Amino acid sequence: MCLAFTLLLGGISLGQGEQASAADNYKFDFGNGGVASGYIGVSATLGYSASTGYGFNTPANMQNVSASGTGVGSDAVRFLTFGTKSTNTFNVDLSNGLYEVKVMLGNTSRASVAAEGVYQIMNMTGNNATDSFQIPITDGQLNILVTEGKAGTVFTLSSLEITKISNNPVTNRTIYIGGDSTVANYYPLASSVQGGWGQMLEQYVNGSTFKVRNMATGGQFARGFRDDGQLEAILKYIKPGDYFILQFGINDTNAKNETTEAQFKEIMRDMVTQVKAKGATVVLSTPQGRATDFNASNVHSSTGRWYRAATMALAAEENVTLVDLNVLSSAYFTSIGPAATLNLYMSGDSLHPNYAGAQKLAQLVKNNLSSQGLSGF
């Protein structure tokens, strides 16, 4: 995820409120501390004006705060009001086109990034967490904010880098992923202890063909993903040539989520139908089982878990590609045995993969999609 960015005004430290000489590439350092070389300093008090071309839409709802990092990560701004539809945004005038946006949070336990009224990055965790995304600008302005990932926590932004990569305001071909904690991103992306296979899939994808946008989040289930804004973000951008990989079932089987298998199947069908209507290719995946799903003969099997039968039936009924990760992972776990399988999961946890386990699951997904003839793998 750490992409090279064009450095605007390299080596020149701009003070708060100074206007950049080019309108398509920016590096902002937020807070009221020192301004890192090559960045534009932005205090929480800076309101948007057409003369500078950037600033906060409602600075009264912003606050300067410290952060525990160094350089641009030593201070930040806090968003006092939030939500994907909030008008409390940082606005940047940009010519229309496709942009790469890199964000660094301040001291934030869990927060999401939204822009243009929808989620862009889900549940970034840890101080100075960093990630990036592509976004098409079609109205001459980027409107971005940091919003709730966990109730009761603060939502902060330390730095923002914006680089224009094309005059054509259309995203590159993209693999969108929906799922739960076994699929989600964990931070730092390159060295997290825990991992989700969606986080790792980019390692196994032809980067010249596809970008990967992982919208999975811990604890999520099908109805929540559909109704709480994650599917909305995908539907805003997904297009013919893109893929949508959807894996749920683990949390749907939890009684607290009040979802029968029949209801689960129809919620999943609704998402499949909406994405197919956009002309994209849908892939359904079944979740892997628990690390401890071995029988007395050391054969791993989890075929009765996580509403797998409903996912398989739906794939057949809707004529979409199925990755039966449940069976694929069981075959691999059987081949390496119970002890080695446990080593692919978090310590004391039979459900959640660690970094290495998530890598292996991503590789199994990639290999299966490649064997089924999907391009880009």
Side-chain angles (χ1 to χ4, degrees), residues 100-170:
E100 190 82 22
V101 177
K102 180 181 179 181
V103 296
M104 176 191 287
L105 304 187
N107 288 4
T108 307
S109 61
R110 187 191 303 170
S112 296
V113 176
E116 310 313 303
V118 297
Y119 286 118
Q120 301 292 336
I121 305 173
M122 304 302 304
N123 285 6
M124 296 174 69
T125 55
N127 296 342
N128 294 135
T130 303
D131 206 343
S132 60
F133 60 94
Q134 279 189 0
I135 187 168
I137 299 298
T138 59
D139 62 357
Q141 191 176 76
L142 172 68
N143 313 107
I144 189 169
L145 63 107
V146 182
T147 188
E148 187 172 80
K150 182 179 181 180
T153 63
V154 298
F155 314 112
T156 64
L157 180 63
S158 278
S159 70
L160 176 67
E161 301 182 16
I162 303 168
T163 303
K164 191 172 189 178
I165 55 180
S166 172
N167 289 323
N168 185 21
V170 177

Side-chain angles (χ1 to χ4, degrees), residues 249-267:
I250 293 177
N251 296 306
D252 303 82
T253 61
N254 191 317
K256 72 177 183 179
N257 290 321
E258 300 179 335
T259 306
T260 67
E261 187 162 8
Q263 290 170 332
F264 166 76
K265 183 179 179 183
E266 293 313 308
I267 294 166

Side-chain angles (χ1 to χ4, degrees), residues 180 182 247-254 259-261 264 268 285-295 299-313 322-330 333 341-342 345 349-352:
D180 54 38
T182 66
Q247 177 184 297
F248 280 108
I250 293 177
N251 296 306
D252 303 82
T253 61
N254 191 317
T259 306
T260 67
E261 187 162 8
F264 166 76
M268 294 284 280
S285 175
T286 60
Q288 90 284 351
R290 292 187 175 274
T292 51
D293 287 340
F294 283 89
N295 64 18
V299 174
H300 192 279
S301 178
S302 307
T303 55
R305 288 194 183 275
W306 319 138
Y307 291 162
R308 172 176 173 267
T311 300
M312 295 181 66
L322 173 71
V323 174
D324 196 356
L325 185 58
N326 183 288
V327 168
L328 293 169
S329 59
S330 285
F333 296 155
T341 297
L342 276 173
Y345 283 73
D349 184 342
S350 67
L351 178 61
H352 296 99

Side-chain angles (χ1 to χ4, degrees), residues 13-16 26-44 56 64 70-77 90 104 157-161:
S13 178
L14 298 179
Q16 177 184 323
Y26 287 98
K27 296 174 69 178
F28 295 107
D29 180 352
F30 294 98
N32 60 355
V35 180
S37 177
Y39 286 77
I40 301 170
V42 178
S43 170
F56 292 102
N64 290 313
T70 60
V72 294
S74 64
D75 56 356
V77 290
F90 181 68
M104 176 191 287
L157 180 63
S158 278
S159 70
L160 176 67
E161 301 182 16

